[in-house]
Amino acid sequence: MNRSGTLTIAGIDFKSRLWVGTGKYKNFEETKKVIEASGADVVTVAVRRVNITDKGKENLLDYISPKEYKILPNTAGCYTADDAVRTARLARAAGVSDMVKLEVIGDPRTLFPDTAGLLEAAKILVKEGFIVFPYTNDDPIVAKKLEDIGCPAVMPLAAPIGSGLGIRNPFNIRIIMETVKIPIIVDAGVGTASDAAIAMEMGCDAVLMNTAIASAKEPVLMAEAMNYAVKAGRLAFLSGRMPKRLYAQASSPIEGMIE
């Protein structure tokens, strides 16, 4: 797997490692401004909540051109494998994309994934030629099963959707990184720029977020902050941080000092 340079997944090159959602904004105009400030080229859209299929009504794609951005339909709000598969097929039939962010939710309060349903839906969609980006929990076993099915990346949660708690279990994320050979995109739970930077410093390949930007007091400013945070975190990972030490160590050499 390529953990440096351009992020390439399923033969597709991605210019930014920050992927953004489109929910919870005041209107499509604000959504557009946020996406521009983020520098993202992947924009994920909930097929069941935001219009991208009916060209007779106000359509997000009138503001976010598929010629400029990679539109990633998602199956948010689906609680069964059948419903998720049907939603993915609808987006592809409308000519939106062969890519899909696959969500099969198991509980309406926590919005944690139903991993059994996720695996079932992933098998079907991969066989049908979809490029499946599965939203999953931070379970290395499930991540490996998704890789074996043929998913070109996995998207483990950092914390519950919309919680803003940051990465609650970095150790599981690290184990996933050691378990699979496909890119890891941290999804859900990021609250602020430092959370995104930490994910990238760990060596994750990208970060996807929505609420952290949409629920900020100034969404456009937060989008810009996240842009810088993801870039900084990636550079820090590539550069390799200094070792941590228990005791102080002088930053200047003592050789040549005046006695």
Side-chain angles (χ1 to χ4, degrees), residues 101-171:
K101 179 191 170 189
L102 181 60
E103 298 183 30
V104 181
I105 301 302
D107 173 58
R109 187 170 69 90
T110 65
L111 299 181
F112 282 142
D114 174 352
T115 54
L118 178 68
L119 291 167
E120 179 185 348
K123 288 178 182 178
I124 295 169
L125 293 174
V126 167
K127 286 181 180 179
E128 293 184 5
F130 281 87
I131 300 170
V132 179
F133 294 88
Y135 163 69
T136 181
N137 56 18
D138 57 355
D139 183 340
I141 306 304
V142 174
K144 180 59 179 171
K145 288 182 178 180
L146 289 165
E147 179 184 34
D148 292 343
I149 286 171
C151 297
V154 289
M155 307 180 76
L157 57 81
I161 292 174
S163 68
L165 292 172
I167 300 178
R168 292 296 83 201
N169 195 341
F171 306 105

